[in-house]
């Protein structure tokens, strides 16, 4: 699932391929922009904002995209075979004389005025990998609703931008609390650590092909043990050997598989209608790459 570090990598690849080059082909395969033609315009830059991508194009235009669960941008050299999926899944093509960027399964794709970017991303909280990062503001945002479960608050991009389901589970493990703990019940010393810890995890992984949290916070990270809890149910916890559990968590509109160790993490368990699962095949975390 694309999270802040994955989107940062995608922006870096797109910027390298497209920035300061004139488009020789543009094809936006969504009805609203099907007739838009960006050919002949220069790409100025590609900037990540949380989980959003902003491709700025001369003439005051920005192509705004969001990957959500399954979207991806692939970059291909001339004559290289496109391998991101079937043709009907392509939503955007941007090409110059050297490279072609192809957007697959993009659930959000809109062409907006650069001056109106705030309408697309202005609601976001401080970006963990962005120049606007503000740990004090991020923590204050999280604590605004003290009764809200920590896992839900971390996923709310209005609080801080860049955390997805993987980092939600991993952060809660590293803080030693369950994702169902009310934010206001998080001990003050751990709450103070949260913003810096979240930033450390994303920064450590933004240049890695394989996401790793164990090697980020300890010296014992090994291949096959890249994450502490996410995707590991019902395998044993890397610290205490208790079976990792998994249950759905969400606000009712979207349920996300959430992993935790019942021994290492204190706090409430999931409600009975979201029964924990500790048996069966583990869910393998996916990382969308380009």
């Amino acid at each position: 699932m694309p999270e802040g570090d994955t989107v940062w990598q995608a922006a870096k690849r797109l910027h390298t391929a497209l920035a300061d080059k004139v488009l020789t082909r543009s094809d936006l395969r969504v009805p609203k922009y099907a007739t838009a033609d960006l050919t002949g315009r220069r790409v100025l830059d590609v900037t990540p904002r949380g989980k959003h991508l902003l491709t700025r194009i001369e003439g005051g235009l920005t192509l705004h995209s969001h990957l959500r669960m399954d979207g991806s941008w692939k970059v291909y050299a001339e004559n290289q075979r496109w391998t991101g999926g079937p043709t009907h899944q392509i939503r955007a093509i941007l090409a110059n004389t050297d490279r072609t960027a192809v957007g697959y399964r993009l659930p959000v794709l809109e062409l907006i005025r650069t001056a109106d970017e705030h309408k697309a991303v202005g609601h976001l909280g401080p970006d963990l990998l962005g120049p606007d990062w503000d740990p004090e503001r991020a923590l204050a945002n999280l604590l605004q609703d003290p009764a809200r479960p920590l896992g839900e608050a971390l996923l709310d991009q209005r609080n801080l931008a860049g955390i997805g389901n993987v980092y939600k589970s991993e952060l809660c493990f590293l803080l030693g609390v369950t994702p169902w703990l009310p934010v206001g019940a998080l001990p003050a010393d751990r709450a103070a650590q949260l913003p810096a810890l979240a930033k450390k995890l994303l920064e450590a992984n933004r240049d890695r092909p394989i996401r790793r949290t164990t090697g980020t916070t300890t010296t014992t990270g090994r291949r096959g043990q890249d994450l502490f809890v996410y995707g590991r149910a019902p395998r044993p916890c890397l610290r205490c050997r208790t079976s990792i559990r998994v249950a759905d968590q969400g606000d009712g509109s979207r349920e996300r598989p959430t992993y935790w160790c019942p021994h290492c993490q204190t706090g409430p368990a999931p409600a009975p209608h979201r029964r924990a699962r500790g048996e069966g095949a583990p869910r393998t975390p996916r990382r969308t790459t380009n």
Side-chain angles (χ1 to χ4, degrees):
M1 176 177 62
E3 305 198 19
D5 53 348
T6 307
V7 174
W8 191 92
Q9 291 179 10
K12 183 179 180 181
R13 282 189 289 271
L14 288 170
H15 183 87
T16 300
L18 300 176
D20 202 32
K21 298 174 183 177
V22 174
L23 293 173
T24 56
R25 180 183 180 186
S26 79
D27 186 357
L28 305 183
R29 298 183 181 181
V30 293
K32 186 175 181 179
Y33 305 106
T35 60
D37 186 5
L38 302 175
T39 302
R41 297 176 186 252
R42 187 177 302 274
V43 174
L44 303 178
D45 66 77
V46 183
T47 298
R49 182 71 173 86
K51 298 181 184 181
H52 300 251
L53 284 164
L54 302 172
T55 301
R56 298 182 179 120
I57 302 163
E58 69 176 352
L61 296 175
T62 294
L63 186 64
H64 167 232
S65 59
H66 193 297
L67 306 181
R68 289 191 180 164
M69 295 294 290
D70 298 314
S72 69
W73 278 97
K74 303 282 187 178
V75 175
Y76 302 101
E78 187 178 2
N79 298 322
Q80 183 179 358
R81 181 171 173 264
W82 297 2
T83 58
T87 302
H88 72 267
Q89 293 183 349
I90 295 175
R91 296 294 176 266
I93 301 171
L94 298 176
N96 53 49
T97 56
D98 299 315
R99 294 287 185 271
T100 299
V102 185
Y104 290 90
R105 300 171 299 278
L106 300 175
V108 175
L109 185 70
E110 58 176 350
L111 189 63
I112 60 177
R113 294 195 312 161
T114 301
D116 292 335
E117 285 182 359
H118 63 280
K119 296 180 180 179
V121 297
H123 66 287
L124 299 175
D127 187 344
L128 282 154
L129 295 178
D132 71 319
W133 173 241
D134 183 339
E136 290 78 18
R137 182 180 156 214
L139 183 57
N141 290 345
L142 288 167
L143 295 175
Q144 278 184 345
D145 187 354
R148 193 176 191 184
L150 177 59
E152 292 181 22
L154 288 172
L155 286 181
D156 190 336
Q157 302 299 296
R158 296 170 297 181
N159 292 330
L160 67 171
I163 292 178
N165 211 34
V166 177
Y167 284 119
K168 174 195 77 173
S169 295
E170 295 296 291
L171 275 168
C172 288
F173 176 83
L174 291 168
L175 292 168
V177 298
T178 70
W180 292 272
L181 182 80
V183 174
L186 185 64
D189 60 332
R190 299 185 213 181
Q193 296 171 14
L194 193 160
L197 180 58
K199 184 173 179 62
K200 179 180 180 180
L201 291 180
L202 266 73
E203 280 191 335
N205 284 289
R206 67 183 182 183
D207 292 314
R208 290 176 176 168
I210 297 176
R211 184 180 289 132
R212 182 180 305 149
T213 58
T214 53
T216 301
T217 56
T218 72
T219 58
T220 58
R222 292 182 293 176
R223 291 299 302 272
Q225 298 182 352
D226 298 307
L227 303 175
F228 283 107
V229 292
Y230 190 88
R232 291 187 54 83
R235 287 176 283 177
C237 173
L238 296 178
R239 286 184 175 171
C240 72
R241 311 306 294 173
T242 300
S243 292
I244 298 298
R245 309 298 299 278
V246 58
D248 293 327
Q249 182 181 34
D251 58 7
S253 60
R254 264 190 310 187
E255 300 289 325
R256 303 282 185 87
T258 300
Y259 299 81
W260 83 104
C261 172
H263 179 267
C264 293
Q265 295 171 252
T266 61
H273 69 283
R274 295 169 178 164
R275 278 186 316 198
R277 303 187 295 277
E279 298 180 358
R283 299 192 184 199
T284 302
R286 272 192 320 167
R287 180 166 185 165
T288 301
T289 56
N290 296 300

